[in-house]
Amino acid sequence: MKIKNFYGIYSSGASFEKMGQKFFGKENISKTNKTIKKNLKKMSITKNDLENKIIMNVGSGREALGFLDYKPKKIFHYDISSQNIKRFKRYIKINNLKKTITSNQLDLSKNNLPRKKFDFIYLHGIIQHVDHVDKALKNLIQSLKLNGKMWFYFYRPGSLNVFLGSLQRKLLQNIKIKMFKNFLKLKVERSFFDGIMDDCYVPNRQLFYPKTFNENLKKNFVTNFGNTFLKNYSHKVDFLNYHQSVVFFLKKKKKFLK
């Protein structure tokens, strides 16, 4: 299965209390706002820093809505799922947000982003699901303006949660996705079902160590000026201490790539 045929059909990419018609409801957006505020504080980014700036986000659209509070000049939203884009475009139109948000289908591994366009990119839980991580990362870096910043979240190999996710995928490899989906619908709440489908059946689950990402970023003149959840950097496996993810705080330092 291609990744574009998974999201929007089998999973939204994230679990929330309210799904279906309330996907973009106040409760979900409020939760997203709080998460974004907390994450930007870690990067020492304030509302004033993003006011009248150009922001880019990839995902279901909820995070893009979360950035409206920062009064940006423009929010460019992308996702690989035509279903997610169709739903978000409808919401944008109904709520008269066309002047602030544009939403388009895009594959980070194949379709070029506009060059030197964005002041800030918020990429949360996306890079591990692309077809080609190196191509997607180069695409993202090229789209940043000089001194532009990026919240760069990725799964961490060697953590217990990521290991258990891989084990689940192994155990379910001979069970058809539609059969498992129908089983979950009868047994669990939609919010739980959405996350489980994402863990167990997403076509791509690319896992790279923080060191590997850092080496690539340095070659492409990007500074890693901070992080979250990064512990015992020299150890590949540490089930007791490693968080399932790592976030790098990135800044573009030169105008060209090596």
Side-chain angles (χ1 to χ4, degrees):
M1 179 189 295
K2 292 184 178 180
I3 193 76
K4 67 179 182 179
N5 298 323
F6 177 79
Y7 285 116
I9 299 174
Y10 294 102
S11 174
S12 72
S15 58
F16 276 75
E17 293 296 325
K18 305 293 182 182
M19 304 297 285
Q21 293 183 347
K22 296 184 178 180
F23 191 81
F24 295 119
K26 289 183 179 180
E27 188 173 338
N28 282 351
I29 302 308
S30 176
K31 182 178 178 180
T32 303
N33 286 348
K34 290 177 182 177
T35 300
I36 289 174
K37 183 178 180 180
K38 179 180 67 176
N39 290 342
L40 294 188
K41 185 177 180 180
K42 294 176 182 178
M43 294 183 75
S44 298
I45 292 177
T46 67
K47 283 192 175 183
N48 289 337
D49 294 327
L50 295 182
E51 186 173 350
N52 205 36
K53 294 297 195 299
I54 299 176
I55 297 172
M56 193 273 266
N57 173 245
V58 180
S60 67
R62 289 169 295 203
E63 291 169 350
L65 294 176
F67 278 102
L68 288 174
D69 284 349
Y70 292 80
K71 298 181 181 179
K73 181 178 181 179
K74 192 79 175 181
I75 299 171
F76 286 83
H77 168 264
Y78 301 102
D79 197 66
I80 198 168
S81 164
S82 61
Q83 297 292 325
N84 281 350
I85 295 299
K86 183 179 179 180
R87 175 176 52 192
F88 194 40
K89 278 181 176 287
R90 188 185 308 120
Y91 181 89
I92 290 170
K93 182 178 181 180
I94 291 172
N95 291 275
N96 298 314
L97 294 171
K98 285 187 177 182
K99 289 184 179 180
T100 308
I101 304 177
T102 62
S103 180
N104 291 290
Q105 187 176 11
L106 182 137
D107 185 334
L108 286 174
S109 291
K110 298 176 182 177
N111 310 126
N112 289 331
L113 292 163
R115 298 289 182 94
K116 304 173 186 176
K117 180 76 173 181
F118 309 121
D119 297 291
F120 182 70
I121 295 175
Y122 190 77
L123 199 75
H124 191 83
I126 301 297
I127 197 67
Q128 59 263 19
H129 299 314
V130 302
D131 287 336
H132 306 285
V133 174
D134 55 340
K135 292 179 181 179
L137 187 54
K138 184 176 181 180
N139 197 12
L140 288 160
I141 294 169
Q142 288 178 326
S143 75
L144 274 175
K145 292 180 181 178
L146 182 63
N147 295 319
K149 295 180 180 180
M150 175 163 45
W151 171 272
F152 184 72
Y153 169 114
F154 57 93
Y155 285 171
R156 164 141 205 171
S159 63
L160 180 60
N161 282 3
V162 169
F163 168 74
L164 292 176
S166 298
L167 181 60
Q168 286 177 312
R169 292 168 67 83
K170 181 70 174 179
L171 293 173
L172 292 170
Q173 64 182 343
N174 294 323
I175 298 180
K176 294 182 179 179
I177 187 171
K178 289 183 178 179
M179 182 184 297
F180 191 65
K181 177 183 176 181
N182 291 333
F183 168 77
L184 287 180
K185 278 185 174 180
L186 297 174
K187 301 292 183 180
V188 300
E189 294 293 327
R190 174 64 192 275
S191 58
F192 181 77
F193 150 84
D194 209 62
I196 288 295
M197 290 299 295
D198 193 21
D199 286 339
C200 295
Y201 282 95
V202 65
N204 298 331
R205 201 165 184 263
Q206 312 270 28
L207 302 176
F208 292 94
Y209 291 103
K211 183 178 180 180
T212 303
F213 275 121
N214 256 333
E215 289 172 350
N216 181 284
L217 293 165
K218 287 179 181 178
K219 289 178 182 178
N220 289 296
F221 306 112
V222 173
T223 299
N224 180 353
F225 65 93
N227 65 76
T228 64
F229 307 127
L230 190 57
K231 296 181 179 180
N232 298 329
Y233 190 84
S234 62
H235 296 86
K236 286 190 173 182
V237 178
D238 191 336
F239 285 170
L240 293 178
N241 294 304
Y242 282 165
H243 191 273
Q244 66 181 8
S245 62
V246 172
V247 183
F248 284 164
F249 308 157
L250 306 180
K251 185 175 182 179
K252 185 174 180 178
K253 297 299 292 181
K254 289 191 179 182
K255 294 182 180 180
F256 57 90
L257 300 176
K258 186 175 180 179

